Amino acid sequence: MEVHAPSEAGFDRRYLAAINAWANFNVWAGFEVTMAADGDAEIRMNWNDSFAQYSGYLHAGMIAALLDTACGFAAATMVGSVTASHFSMNCLRPAVGDRFVARGTTVRAGRKQIFARAELFAANRQGELSLVATGETVLVPVSADEQNR
């Protein structure tokens, strides 16, 4: 599928929600874009038993995917299409909850590199959030020519 950027440099929430809706991994995982504007983004995902690791916690691969997506969408609100060049994460406690909320923010958006960070929270049935992981991503802008390859 060919993707074209809106006329502004960055994407808005509606555009990122549309991208999210056709990104096969995001659809499979049940990611929902709940906020994206001005260098920030929020992604939510409900608990799914299929995403548990051997001890019953959310698998680190899903934690990484949520953090990476929140960072990428936050950066995309500033500069448009991006791809990760480096990603790191820290798991702070077992990720257990009814749903997960990843909040990304753009730290610095340069011409050649964008730095973003994210926090992942687990929400219990009462809606109380607890921080379970953090991540940082270095991203690079992707031109329209590179997208259409």
Side-chain angles (χ1 to χ4, degrees):
M1 173 176 205
E2 200 169 308
V3 177
H4 297 284
S7 56
E8 302 86 38
F11 298 146
D12 63 12
R13 189 198 64 76
R14 283 187 7 224
Y15 190 79
L16 288 169
I19 289 172
N20 188 66
W22 65 259
N24 290 335
F25 180 87
N26 295 15
V27 171
W28 170 79
F31 291 1
E32 176 190 3
V33 180
T34 55
M35 190 277 293
D38 303 321
D40 296 317
E42 183 177 277
I43 311 295
R44 293 186 183 198
M45 181 192 81
N46 290 326
W47 172 257
N48 182 326
D49 289 339
S50 298
F51 302 154
Q53 45 85 294
Y54 53 87
S55 296
Y57 310 134
L58 186 64
H59 192 281
M62 291 305 297
I63 292 170
L66 283 159
L67 291 167
D68 176 61
T69 302
C71 284
F73 282 6
T77 67
M78 302 289 288
V79 301
S81 293
V82 295
T83 192
S85 113
H86 176 78
F87 173 77
S88 66
M89 73 175 192
N90 296 297
C91 296
L92 307 174
R93 63 172 43 137
V96 178
D98 290 323
R99 78 181 145 80
F100 298 90
V101 179
R103 294 181 181 149
T105 189
T106 305
V107 177
R108 183 181 185 297
R111 285 184 315 116
K112 295 189 177 196
Q113 291 183 323
I114 301 95
F115 298 87
R117 71 171 54 116
E119 295 179 320
L120 180 66
F121 298 89
N124 63 19
R125 290 191 177 151
Q126 293 75 35
E128 300 166 331
L129 299 176
S130 95
L131 181 64
V132 296
T134 62
E136 294 184 340
T137 308
V138 178
L139 305 112
V140 294
V142 178
S143 70
D145 291 339
E146 291 171 317
Q147 287 181 36
N148 295 325
R149 287 185 189 179

